[in-house]
Amino acid sequence: MLNISGIEAGYVIDHIKAGSCMRIYKALNLDKFGGEVAIIKNARSRKHGKKDIIKIEGLVELDLNLLGFLDDQITVNVIQRERIIEKKALSLPDEVTDVAVCKNPRCITSAEPGLHQVFVLTDREKRVYRCKYCEEKLQNDG
């Protein structure tokens, strides 16, 4: 079994859908983070069979809405002095800003480049978001 050492202070992003940790890594801009980052792909999971894990040594700003949008099954463990001090369970956010681009060429966001791309959750069960301005559907497959 592979052994990745613990971290003194930082985060463990756990229960990531197997095979999708690089999407989370890129979305959080961890390639620009100066601290240590460990990526564990296809780790054994009793609940899901396999999962991915990202360990981050050091403090970095985590956008929990973005993480919940990408994969609402993720848990974020906050680590201090090599111990979990807080566990954050994520859920689909009611609204997300600037995490996707509206595909409707007639949407106001296409004509106004400085306008934020805002999507509102309209169907939690089917994971459907719609553009706040034109109601174009954005399917979020998590």
Side-chain angles (χ1 to χ4, degrees):
M1 179 171 179
L2 179 65
N3 186 19
I4 305 292
S5 66
I7 57 177
E8 175 65 30
Y11 306 95
V12 176
I13 304 172
D14 200 359
H15 303 107
I16 301 169
K17 185 178 180 180
S20 62
C21 67
M22 291 311 293
R23 182 171 74 143
I24 304 288
Y25 179 86
K26 290 175 185 170
L28 293 175
N29 294 315
L30 292 174
D31 55 330
K32 296 174 178 71
F33 176 62
E36 294 179 19
V37 177
I39 296 172
I40 304 160
K41 295 179 73 173
N42 298 316
R44 285 185 216 115
S45 169
R46 286 175 288 193
K47 206 176 200 182
H48 303 290
K50 291 187 176 196
K51 66 180 179 179
D52 290 353
I53 303 167
I54 299 175
K55 290 185 172 187
I56 305 166
E57 176 74 44
L59 298 177
V60 63
E61 189 171 322
L62 294 180
D63 185 341
L64 298 180
N65 274 342
L66 172 62
L67 285 172
F69 174 76
L70 294 173
D71 184 348
D72 62 326
Q73 300 301 307
I74 288 174
T75 55
V76 176
N77 299 317
V78 181
I79 311 294
Q80 284 185 357
R81 296 187 189 100
E82 297 184 4
R83 296 194 184 275
I84 298 172
I85 63 160
E86 185 178 0
K87 279 188 177 239
K88 298 178 184 219
L90 304 182
S91 62
L92 286 174
D94 294 328
E95 185 176 284
V96 292
T97 303
D98 297 332
V99 299
V101 175
C102 184
K103 303 281 191 231
N104 181 356
R106 293 179 288 160
C107 181
I108 187 69
T109 59
S110 297
E112 297 288 333
L115 201 56
H116 291 286
Q117 300 277 332
V118 181
F119 292 87
V120 178
L121 182 64
T122 57
D123 188 335
R124 188 170 296 278
E125 185 177 308
K126 293 181 181 173
R127 306 176 60 85
V128 174
Y129 285 82
R130 292 197 178 272
C131 175
K132 180 178 179 177
Y133 306 103
C134 72
E135 298 188 7
E136 178 77 13
K137 183 178 176 181
L138 170 69
Q139 186 71 39
N140 178 18
D141 298 321

